[in-house]
Amino acid sequence: MNDLLTGAVGGLIALTVAAVFQPVMGRLQAVSRRVHRIRPVSVHVETDPSLVWAGFPNWVPAFVWLPERPTGTPPEHPTDWRAWALRRGGADASRTVLKVTVTARETASVVIDSPKLRHEVSPLPQPPPGVVACCPVGGAAVTPRRLQVDLGTGTTMWVEEDGSPLPPLSLTLSPGETEQFLIYVEASSGRCTWHLELPVLVDGKRLLIPVKDGGEPFVTYGLEGFVEHRWRDGAWEAHRRS
């Protein structure tokens, strides 16, 4: 009986201490983060298509620019073509897709606006040298909710799966919770060297997150004017784009 009473009293004391000190500790942690300039949320930008498209059907085609006509056997999976092209001095073509992960360190109200497009240099006219290599795939088009950026017009907006415009993403995250979304950056022609600045409003305070490719600008080529080399049935087929 005494053991039960002691346990009950101990449990009551523990609950009382937690109720009193947990809010205090939460405030102290928030103050510590402000003092040490630790943001209440962290933002990670993924550029590897094999990670960007993890969990999606394998129905996403690959378009890459190469400085010369492709030879040999490319990777089996389209999501590995970007790395394959980069090793050969290539770059994305038609579209660069990024996955953004926002993780909360403490409870935070987060609003994510459309990004600001920054051209490192003016887009070069088409058609530049080189070729486009394509890995066509079957299946329905994959078009999730996303931020969409047009490198030609400079427009940036949130869009629904069907392409209709959406308001900025607004959410509340608890500590440890995450939110993920995709950014489609599209080019129709020429060579575009660019990066983004992502405006994130956290508890009413504005953060401007630079979105770069490992600290460097992204490069994306449009498809217009290129000879397109498609990998079909174990061989390359050349097609002229209009």
Side-chain angles (χ1 to χ4, degrees):
M1 184 69 178
N2 289 338
D3 290 342
L4 289 176
L5 181 60
T6 301
V9 171
L12 181 60
I13 292 173
L15 290 173
T16 303
V17 170
V20 171
F21 287 100
Q22 190 169 6
V24 175
M25 291 301 296
R27 286 194 292 271
L28 288 175
Q29 289 173 355
V31 170
S32 176
R33 289 191 179 100
R34 286 194 294 270
V35 169
H36 294 92
R37 298 182 179 180
I38 299 175
R39 294 172 176 172
V41 298
S42 64
V43 180
H44 172 72
V45 180
E46 183 56 61
T47 61
D48 181 351
S50 65
L51 299 176
V52 169
W53 295 112
F56 285 86
N58 191 27
W59 295 340
V60 181
F63 291 89
V64 295
W65 174 86
L66 296 170
E68 56 188 22
R69 189 175 72 85
T71 58
T73 303
E76 177 183 358
H77 296 288
T79 55
D80 295 327
W81 276 46
R82 183 177 191 266
W84 172 75
L86 292 177
R87 290 195 299 269
R88 287 157 177 77
D92 286 321
S94 178
R95 175 186 295 163
T96 296
V97 181
L98 311 172
K99 178 190 281 186
V100 179
T101 301
V102 181
T103 303
R105 295 189 177 98
E106 60 186 62
T107 300
S109 172
V110 181
V111 178
I112 301 172
D113 288 316
S114 297
K116 298 180 180 181
L117 173 62
R118 304 299 190 194
H119 284 291
E120 299 286 331
V121 295
S122 298
L124 299 181
Q126 66 91 14
V131 299
V132 165
C134 170
C135 179
V137 294
V142 179
T143 55
R145 180 198 65 175
R146 62 200 180 274
L147 274 169
Q148 190 148 313
V149 179
D150 187 318
L151 291 171
T153 63
T155 56
T156 67
M157 67 179 71
W158 278 98
V159 297
E160 189 55 90
E161 293 182 6
D162 61 1
S164 57
L166 286 172
L169 178 65
S170 179
L171 59 149
T172 299
L173 296 177
S174 299
E177 282 191 323
T178 64
E179 175 73 14
Q180 292 184 322
F181 58 89
L182 300 185
I183 303 179
Y184 280 22
V185 184
E186 301 185 328
S188 58
S189 63
R191 178 183 188 274
C192 302
T193 307
W194 57 273
H195 74 274
L196 301 176
E197 293 176 349
L198 186 64
V200 180
L201 193 66
V202 181
D203 292 335
K205 294 184 178 181
R206 177 71 69 191
L207 302 175
L208 201 58
I209 309 296
V211 178
K212 292 190 174 185
D213 189 7
E216 299 296 326
F218 291 93
V219 176
T220 308
Y221 286 78
L223 299 181
E224 291 180 7
F226 279 110
V227 174
E228 184 178 299
H229 294 263
R230 301 174 187 172
W231 181 254
R232 290 183 185 275
D233 301 323
W236 291 104
E237 299 176 355
H239 299 263
R240 169 70 67 175
R241 274 190 168 266
S242 58

